[in-house]
């Protein structure tokens, strides 16, 4: 707690000093206000004209951070809190919203589908960080532009592609990177190649990563000397499950996995006004151990002999048309048609039980969007339409590991046809009232339809065979951005968001933990949010160049209506049922009357002299909902968190020292729904932590760069809030990159 108070006090004092500093008329500081972003309007727009808060991470940042997957990349930026249930995972949290309430986009395509759950997700790791050109984090309800699910915001990912030549000379690029990380025994090899002339280009990227067992930090507070220790694991010996004592309880046995990613892009530019892009993406892993479940203990031995996700598969094929500098109805036009296939599977078997439960979900998603922008004097109008069709097949079986016998078990989702379709039209308007003042406003009409069918209800004795919903939602936004110069912007914005219940919300059956089962509830309604926000960015010079500083931040409040919360439920008139042989308390997703959240983020930095920068970002969120006439904690609310760093860059050398930190999450602030995973915390909650980290790079040759990092230098043991796996301990990373 003390370090949190000191950090915040120091940062606020710095902000006060900066505001009172004298500013020369000639300010030379580089300003993010002139940065061009896409997420605020779906077309290139200067950040100074947008009222919303957007953070960007570019390819240069990706290379410096040198991170193993995209979830870790978001966490290392300091701008996003990430929950983890296993090494092969990572669930971003934006302003207290997580999983299906945060929209993931890649190259203009929605990743969220009909089975994105409200708990914790790992799908973002299927986007290879090596292929990212740019990542934009749009905070707050964003349903006007992006539709359902964008309650907490949008993580918008843009992948790399070929560089077309602007002259007659062809362009050619080759990158090869190898990386080793000691704490997770990671071995990664990446290669990409690109070619382009004035009209035609291609880009191919291939990445293979092998992640071994995690070695967690050894240094714990005396009060939590055993927290996170993995003392026993299961090994099958002579066809019998045996509990083996782990000789190194800081090494998380059976936590490793591997992953293979491919990107292929083809672009054709027949004229200066037209660009065609064909985009193929493939991500595939092997089995990913669900470590939080494997760490559960009953009667002194692990509860599960096996619990793993089957290969995480994501295949994408997309075509994109871009038309620029037009003279007709629109000045710019973009259309994207896509097909996605996603396969998720879960395999679990309890200790010394013969039957392994095997549940597989296969979902096909067809998507289409078209957006056009028209500039009319001081007005810009973006209009568009989009649709997404989800087709889900859920299958399950019990497999006897002793004799191979197959038995019938419940599927996770309805075993019949499952369809969920979205369709919408929207308009987003920018009015540049003066060169300094810009109005942002927009409206969206969205239609969703869900139809799920239960073919076999004998195992659960369901009182119904279908779950069907149709919902129409209207969302909008309005905001003002005032930017008198390149050094200052202040904005206010009000926006609404919605999320239609999907198949996972409405119709799934699963055990959230031993003795607790979630059952279907057909009466769910859409969730709605209303958000009010004030944000600002300010740049300063301190007495004389090159001394410069910047500070920014946002404060917001969100009202959450019809919030879906997992709570006690009666199923067929009973508050408990027998599920997979265990008498289990019944829960179900339900619309709670109201919830609210508020919070703030502050960030800034100082350029002390050429090449040396200090930077920091800190965030806090608070959320509650009403239950039984009293306020209780809302789930997914992270503790106070942030990042403070100092970096130096000059010529061939880059170096950075930084501190990552989280405050306490007290057990009294955990949600009673169970989504916060109190069983994986201490009796008091999740302890505060901080890590000290160092990374750097040096250009050995013009085409050869060496990167070295030491993460968690003090080898501290820590676990992020709601996570079921502890973070790696001291981690030495060595990477070599060759670029031609």
């Amino acid at each position: 707690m003390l370090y949190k108070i000191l950090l915040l006090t120091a940062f606020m004092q710095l902000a006060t000093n900066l505001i009172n500093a004298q500013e020369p008329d000639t300010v030379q500081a580089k300003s993010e206000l002139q940065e061009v972003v896409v997420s605020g309007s779906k077309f290139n727009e200067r950040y100074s004209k947008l009222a919303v808060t957007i953070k960007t991470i570019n390819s240069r940042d990706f290379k410096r951070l040198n991170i193993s997957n995209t979830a870790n990349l978001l966490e290392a930026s300091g701008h996003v809190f990430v929950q983890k249930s296993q090494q092969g995972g990572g669930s971003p949290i934006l302003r207290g919203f997580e999983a299906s309430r945060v929209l993931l986009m890649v190259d203009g395509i929605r990743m969220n589908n009909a089975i994105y759950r409200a708990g914790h997700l790992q799908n973002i790791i299927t986007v290879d960080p090596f292929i990212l050109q740019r990542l934009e984090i749009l905070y707050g309800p964003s349903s006007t532009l992006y539709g359902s699910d964008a309650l907490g915001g949008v993580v918008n990912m843009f992948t790399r592609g070929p560089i077309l030549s602007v002259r007659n000379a062809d362009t050619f690029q080759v990158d090869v990177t190898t990386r080793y990380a000691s704490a997770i025994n990671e071995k990664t090899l990446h290669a990409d190649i690109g070619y382009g002339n004035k009209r035609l280009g291609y880009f191919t990227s291939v990445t293979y990563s092998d992640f071994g067992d995690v070695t967690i930090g050894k240094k714990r507070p005396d009060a939590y000397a055993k927290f996170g220790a993995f003392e026993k694991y299961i090994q099958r010996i002579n066809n019998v499950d045996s509990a083996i004592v782990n000789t190194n309880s800081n090494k998380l046995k059976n936590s490793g996995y591997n992953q293979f990613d491919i990107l292929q892009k083809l672009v054709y530019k027949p004229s200066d006004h037209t660009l065609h892009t064909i985009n193929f993406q493939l991500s595939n892993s092997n089995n990913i151990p669900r470590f939080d479940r494997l760490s559960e203990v009953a009667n002194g031995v692990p509860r599960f002999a096996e619990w793993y996700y089957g290969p995480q598969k994501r295949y994408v094929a997309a075509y994109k048309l871009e038309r620029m500098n037009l003279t007709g109805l629109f000045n710019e036009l973009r259309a994207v048609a896509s097909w996605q296939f996603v396969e998720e599977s879960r395999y679990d078997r309890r200790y010394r039980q013969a039957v392994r439960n095997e549940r597989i979900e296969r979902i096909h998603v067809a998507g289409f969007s078209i957006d056009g922008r028209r500039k009319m004097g001081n007005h810009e109008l973006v209009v568009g339409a989009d649709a997404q069709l989800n087709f889900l097949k859920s299958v399950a079986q019990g497999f006897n590991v002793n004799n191979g016998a197959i038995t019938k078990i419940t599927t996770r989702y309805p075993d019949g046809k499952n369809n969920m379709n979205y369709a919408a039209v929207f308009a987003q308007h920018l009015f540049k009232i003066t060169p300094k003042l810009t109005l942002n406003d927009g409206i969206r009409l969205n239609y969703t339809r869900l139809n799920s069918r239960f073919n076999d209800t004998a195992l659960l004795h369901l009182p119904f065979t279908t779950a069907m919903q149709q919902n129409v939602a209207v969302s909008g936004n309005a905001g003002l951005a005032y930017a008198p110069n390149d050094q200052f912007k202040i904005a206010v914005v009000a926006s609404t968001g919605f999320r239609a219940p999907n198949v996972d919300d409405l119709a799934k059956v699963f055990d959230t933990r031993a003795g607790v089962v979630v059952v279907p509830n057909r009466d769910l309604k859409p969730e709605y949010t209303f958000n009010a926000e004030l944000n600002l960015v300010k740049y300063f010079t301190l007495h004389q160049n090159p001394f410069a500083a910047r500070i920014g931040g946002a404060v917001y409040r969100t009202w959450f209506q019809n919030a879906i919360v997992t709570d006690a439920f009666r199923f067929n008139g009973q508050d408990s049922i027998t599920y997979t042989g265990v008498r289990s308390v019944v829960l179900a997703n339900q619309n709670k009357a109201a919830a609210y959240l508020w919070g703030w983020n502050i960030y800034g930095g100082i350029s002390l002299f050429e090449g040396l920068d200090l930077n920091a970002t800190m965030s806090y969120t608070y959320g509650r909902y009403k239950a039984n006439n009293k306020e209780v904690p809302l789930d997914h609310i992270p503790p106070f968190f942030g990042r403070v760093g100092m970096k130096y860059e000059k010529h061939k050398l880059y170096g950075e020292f930084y501190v990552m930190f989280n405050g306490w999450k007290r057990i009294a602030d955990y949600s009673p729904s169970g989504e916060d995973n109190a069983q994986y915390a201490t009796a008091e909650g999740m302890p505060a932590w901080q890590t000290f980290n160092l990374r750097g790079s040096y250009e050995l040759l013009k085409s050869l760069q060496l990167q070295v990092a030491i993460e968690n230098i003090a080898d501290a043991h820590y676990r992020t809030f709601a996570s079921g796996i502890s973070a790696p301990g001291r981690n030495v990373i060595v990477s070599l990159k060759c670029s031609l």
Side-chain angles (χ1 to χ4, degrees):
M1 186 64 175
L2 178 60
Y3 79 88
K4 177 170 74 174
I5 295 172
L6 291 174
L7 284 171
L8 185 57
T9 301
F11 203 85
M12 294 305 294
Q13 183 62 48
L14 169 63
T16 302
N17 292 341
L18 292 177
I19 291 172
N20 293 329
Q22 295 295 318
E23 267 192 280
D25 292 333
T26 56
V27 178
Q28 301 298 325
K30 293 182 180 179
S31 171
E32 68 185 46
L33 298 181
Q34 297 309 304
E35 184 176 26
V36 173
V37 296
V38 173
S39 298
S41 67
K42 289 199 172 183
F43 289 89
N44 291 345
E45 188 63 65
R46 290 197 181 277
Y47 182 52
S48 61
K49 302 300 180 184
L50 300 173
V52 294
T53 300
I54 300 175
K55 285 294 178 186
T56 61
I57 309 173
N58 57 40
S59 59
R60 192 178 186 188
D61 298 322
F62 303 148
K63 294 171 184 176
R64 287 172 173 171
L65 290 170
N66 193 20
I67 297 298
S68 57
N69 65 45
T70 304
N72 292 341
L73 173 67
L74 288 171
E75 183 178 43
S77 72
H79 299 304
V80 179
F81 190 92
V82 175
Q83 180 276 349
K84 284 193 173 185
S85 297
Q86 64 278 338
Q87 183 183 185
S91 190
I93 300 176
L94 298 182
R95 293 188 173 178
F97 292 94
E98 185 186 351
S100 58
R101 294 167 178 151
V102 170
L103 180 61
L104 305 180
M105 302 279 295
V106 58
D107 292 332
I109 303 165
R110 289 173 58 101
M111 290 183 64
N112 294 43
N113 56 49
I115 61 172
Y116 264 42
R117 54 192 179 275
H120 312 291
L121 292 176
Q122 72 274 10
N123 302 68
I124 198 168
I125 72 166
T126 64
V127 180
D128 179 10
F130 282 101
I131 67 172
L132 291 177
Q133 180 67 34
R134 184 177 179 85
L135 191 153
E136 296 180 0
I137 306 161
L138 194 158
Y139 293 90
S142 310
S143 291
T144 304
L145 283 172
Y146 295 102
S148 182
D149 303 355
L151 297 183
V154 180
V155 178
N156 218 341
M157 294 165 278
F158 304 91
T159 63
R160 298 166 60 194
I163 301 173
L164 297 183
S165 173
V166 295
R167 296 182 295 272
N168 291 327
D170 295 349
T171 64
F172 187 74
Q173 61 188 99
V174 176
D175 289 315
V176 178
T177 302
T178 61
R179 182 176 60 219
Y180 172 77
S182 63
I184 55 177
N185 195 25
E186 177 203 353
K187 298 171 282 290
T188 291
L189 177 63
H190 164 81
D192 62 66
I193 183 171
Y195 165 80
N197 56 36
K198 293 185 69 173
R199 299 299 181 197
L200 187 66
Y202 71 84
F203 180 79
T204 304
S205 170
V206 179
T207 304
Y208 176 78
S209 294
D210 181 81
F211 303 99
D213 292 338
V214 178
T215 300
I216 62 179
K218 301 178 180 63
K219 295 184 180 179
R220 299 174 173 85
D222 292 339
Y224 310 110
K226 293 292 186 180
F227 180 46
F230 191 51
E231 297 181 333
K232 290 183 180 179
Y233 62 96
I234 301 302
Q235 186 173 331
R236 196 160 174 82
I237 302 174
N238 296 325
N239 292 325
V240 176
D241 293 333
S242 300
I244 307 299
V245 175
N246 190 2
T247 56
N248 179 2
S249 61
N250 291 315
K251 188 166 187 176
L252 308 184
K253 288 283 191 178
N254 305 319
S255 59
Y257 74 103
N258 59 60
Q259 183 168 320
F260 185 67
D261 296 279
I262 296 176
L263 169 72
Q264 177 66 65
K265 275 191 180 179
L266 300 171
V267 299
Y268 174 54
K269 189 177 182 180
S271 72
D272 292 340
H273 304 289
T274 305
L275 184 67
H276 303 272
T277 303
I278 297 176
N279 186 347
F280 296 102
Q281 297 177 29
L282 178 153
S283 180
N284 200 354
S285 71
N286 69 339
N287 295 335
I288 300 178
R290 176 76 185 267
F291 185 80
D292 56 350
R293 293 301 187 91
L294 293 175
S295 68
E296 294 178 2
V297 174
N299 300 319
V301 296
R303 190 186 303 275
F304 289 94
E306 300 178 81
W307 214 124
Y308 58 89
Y309 291 110
Q312 177 83 7
K313 300 177 182 178
R314 183 179 69 92
Y315 306 147
V316 179
Y319 164 73
K320 181 178 182 179
L321 169 66
E322 296 176 82
R323 297 275 286 155
M324 298 81 70
N325 302 318
L326 304 177
T327 57
L329 181 61
F330 296 109
N331 305 121
E332 297 176 76
L333 186 69
R334 293 178 181 173
V336 178
S338 64
W339 168 85
Q340 298 180 73
F341 170 74
V342 175
E343 181 177 298
E344 296 181 1
S345 52
R346 295 164 176 82
Y347 299 80
D348 67 89
R349 183 173 63 84
R350 293 179 181 271
Y351 175 64
R352 291 198 172 173
Q353 290 189 5
V355 176
R356 180 172 62 220
N357 300 313
E358 303 179 348
R359 294 180 171 89
I360 303 173
E361 330 304 332
R362 299 183 178 97
I363 185 164
H364 295 263
V365 184
F368 176 77
S369 65
I370 183 167
D371 307 299
R373 177 161 70 172
R374 172 75 175 183
K375 295 183 178 181
M376 303 164 287
N378 293 334
H379 296 268
E380 292 183 13
L381 180 65
V382 175
V383 296
D386 52 67
Q388 189 184 54
L389 311 178
N390 290 252
F391 307 94
L392 168 67
K393 181 64 176 176
S394 185
V395 297
Q397 67 176 23
F399 178 80
N400 190 304
V401 296
N402 293 328
N403 57 30
I406 303 296
T407 55
K408 182 180 292 187
I409 64 171
T410 58
T411 54
R412 181 176 173 88
Y413 302 113
D415 57 346
K417 290 184 178 180
N418 294 278
N419 302 324
M420 185 170 186
N421 304 324
Y422 303 80
V425 292
F426 75 91
Q428 182 71 33
H429 171 237
L430 262 69
F431 174 29
K432 298 173 184 177
I433 302 171
T434 72
K436 301 177 181 180
L437 184 65
T438 305
L439 170 69
N440 297 210
D441 60 292
I443 190 169
R444 181 185 186 94
L445 177 65
N446 205 93
Y447 169 78
T448 59
R449 184 178 187 274
L450 183 153
N451 189 359
S452 290
R453 184 172 186 83
F454 299 86
N455 287 339
D456 188 349
T457 62
L459 291 176
L460 270 181
H461 307 291
L462 293 173
F464 48 80
T465 58
T466 61
M468 181 182 294
Q469 278 200 350
Q470 297 185 77
N471 293 297
V472 176
V474 177
S475 57
N477 67 281
L480 283 171
Y482 176 67
N485 52 52
D486 291 347
Q487 314 307 319
F488 179 70
K489 184 186 86 165
I490 185 169
V492 293
V493 61
S495 57
T496 64
F498 79 95
R499 189 179 77 86
N502 61 19
V503 175
D504 185 88
D505 297 304
L506 197 70
K508 75 177 172 184
V509 180
F510 82 113
D511 55 335
T512 181
R513 58 186 183 275
V516 178
V517 63
V518 176
V519 299
N521 176 14
R522 294 193 303 174
D523 297 325
L524 282 180
K525 304 299 180 186
E527 299 177 308
Y528 295 93
T529 58
F530 175 81
N531 183 74
E533 176 182 339
L534 170 70
N535 62 74
L536 63 87
V537 180
K538 176 64 177 171
Y539 282 76
F540 306 86
T541 57
L542 300 181
H543 307 301
Q544 60 181 355
N545 291 328
F547 299 101
R550 61 199 178 278
I551 188 169
V555 292
Y556 60 90
R557 183 179 176 99
T558 301
W559 291 265
F560 194 7
Q561 298 295 322
N562 284 349
I564 296 175
V565 177
T566 307
D567 207 349
F569 192 69
R570 298 188 71 85
F571 187 71
N572 288 341
Q574 298 180 325
D575 59 7
S576 64
I577 61 173
T578 299
Y579 181 74
T580 63
V582 178
R583 194 65 183 175
S584 301
V585 174
V586 174
L587 304 179
N589 288 328
Q590 299 163 66
N591 294 104
K592 293 299 179 180
Y596 68 91
L597 306 93
W598 62 266
W600 52 263
N601 164 254
I602 187 170
Y603 62 92
I606 304 174
S607 299
L608 297 178
F609 55 83
E610 186 178 359
L612 182 64
D613 283 305
L614 304 179
N615 55 80
T617 179
M618 304 173 194
S619 300
Y620 176 79
T621 307
Y622 181 91
R624 291 291 187 270
Y625 73 93
K626 289 184 178 180
N628 301 321
N629 295 320
K630 67 177 182 178
E631 287 193 348
V632 297
L634 192 63
D635 48 12
H636 307 294
I637 305 298
F640 173 75
F641 73 96
R643 184 184 194 273
V644 177
M646 177 176 65
K647 62 182 179 181
Y648 177 76
E649 182 175 17
K650 196 166 186 180
H651 304 307
K652 301 179 180 181
L653 179 66
Y654 172 82
E656 182 178 19
F657 174 78
Y658 62 99
V659 180
M660 304 285 295
F661 58 89
N662 274 201
W664 261 96
K665 180 76 174 187
R666 299 290 177 180
I667 202 69
D669 292 324
Y670 273 62
S671 171
S673 71
E675 291 288 6
D676 289 346
N677 292 332
Q679 69 272 27
Y680 302 131
T682 72
E684 290 78 26
M686 197 64 76
W689 56 265
Q690 60 276 325
T691 64
F692 303 96
N693 312 273
L694 184 66
R695 65 176 66 252
S697 63
Y698 185 74
E699 192 176 290
L700 301 173
L701 300 171
K702 186 176 181 180
S703 59
L704 187 64
Q705 185 182 72
L706 173 68
Q707 292 181 299
V708 178
I710 307 177
E711 298 177 337
N712 194 0
I713 295 171
D715 202 22
H717 175 269
Y718 70 99
R719 181 177 290 186
T720 56
F721 160 67
S723 295
I725 186 171
S726 297
R730 185 182 296 115
N731 191 22
V732 178
I733 303 171
V734 179
S735 180
L736 198 62
K737 179 177 181 179
C738 179
S739 301
L740 300 175

